[in-house]
Amino acid sequence: MAGVSHIVVDWGTSSFRLWALDRAGTVLGERRSAQGLAASGAEGFEAVLDSHLAALAIPEGVPVMMCGMVGSRAGWVEAAYVTTPAGLEGLTAKAAHVPSARRLIRILPGLAQRGAEGADVMRGEETQLLPLIRDGFEGLACLPGTHSKWVRVEAGAVAGFATFMTGELFHLLRSASILAPAVEGAGAVDPGSEAFAQGVTDGLAAPELLGNQLFRLRAAWLLQGEGPEAALARLSGLLLGAELAGAARFGGRGPVALIASGPAASLYQVALALAGIASVTTHDAEACVRAGLHAAAVSAFRLERMSA
């Protein structure tokens, strides 16, 4: 493939996304698969990467920058956590080297928070923040997911962050708790539904009552015949409202940069509005991770050439 400057890869627990970029960060080709950690560990990480590069006819010698769980202890090569505060140069300087005879391969490290604010970690999400940091963003960023991250960005670096297990709790409660029969058969949560809005409002107003409010979903199903769509929407709203209440303690109620895509973006936009946060800018999560990897590649491979 002509014109390719470098390859960037977001390699997570369950998915693989690769982009071939030119020097300006323009996408010249891409590959996607479900070859996350489990599948790739069995097939061989280098074999998986090489198969996708061969499909795009990427010549040997083109460098690769990666992020995500591929750098965890269960991944290809462990990229040790960098302690906050940390910015672009701090992350790229600590990128792990992956032995390869064909090309230069680096994996970005995750971030670790230690000390008085409490232990916390992230791996992969920090890359989505890099384009905002590069463009001078300061403030609070929200990154929804299985484990949602709320991040304070100050003076060109991640100053601190807090993780909320909202997505995982939602999945467990809807599928493996006493609430499962009440939400069985429900489709995707409608962010415009009254049940979702009420759930967010109640979760915000009294997060300490979350356990009680969750059980009432079962009671409403048993006693009032509440349908699965409304029950699931209220479940989602309660969890999101409680998360936003916690995030307010962590970072206040100022402007928020929402880094999300798909259904999560709509749900969080509605919830943030209900929380009274008027200034919200939304950034596409996939575009951010790609731009972050590009920025890291430009920085790291420049450093490589300078030290060579």
Side-chain angles (χ1 to χ4, degrees), residues 127-132 259 283-293:
T127 310
Q128 297 177 32
L129 293 163
L130 292 182
L132 276 72
I259 303 177
H283 308 265
D284 181 74
E286 180 171 300
C288 282
V289 74
R290 188 173 63 241
L293 282 164

Side-chain angles (χ1 to χ4, degrees), residues 265-280:
S266 299
L267 291 171
Y268 273 78
Q269 285 169 340
V270 171
L272 287 164
L274 289 168
I277 300 175
S279 180
V280 178

Side-chain angles (χ1 to χ4, degrees), residues 84-87 111 122 126 129 133 151-154 156-161:
T84 56
L111 291 179
M122 72 166 74
E126 73 290 327
L129 293 163
I133 292 174
V151 186
R152 285 199 312 271
V153 178
E154 300 171 358
V158 172
F161 59 96

Side-chain angles (χ1 to χ4, degrees), residues 118-164:
D120 211 332
V121 294
M122 72 166 74
R123 189 179 291 280
E125 297 92 348
E126 73 290 327
T127 310
Q128 297 177 32
L129 293 163
L130 292 182
L132 276 72
I133 292 174
R134 177 200 59 198
D135 294 340
F137 170 78
E138 290 202 4
L140 194 63
C142 171
L143 297 85
T146 303
H147 303 140
S148 298
K149 307 290 182 181
W150 286 79
V151 186
R152 285 199 312 271
V153 178
E154 300 171 358
V158 172
F161 59 96
T163 302
F164 295 82

Side-chain angles (χ1 to χ4, degrees), residues 82 87-96 106 108-109 296 299-300 303-304:
V82 171
L88 173 60
E89 298 299 335
L91 286 169
T92 53
K94 296 292 185 180
R106 294 285 184 267
L108 287 175
S299 174
L303 292 173
E304 290 290 341

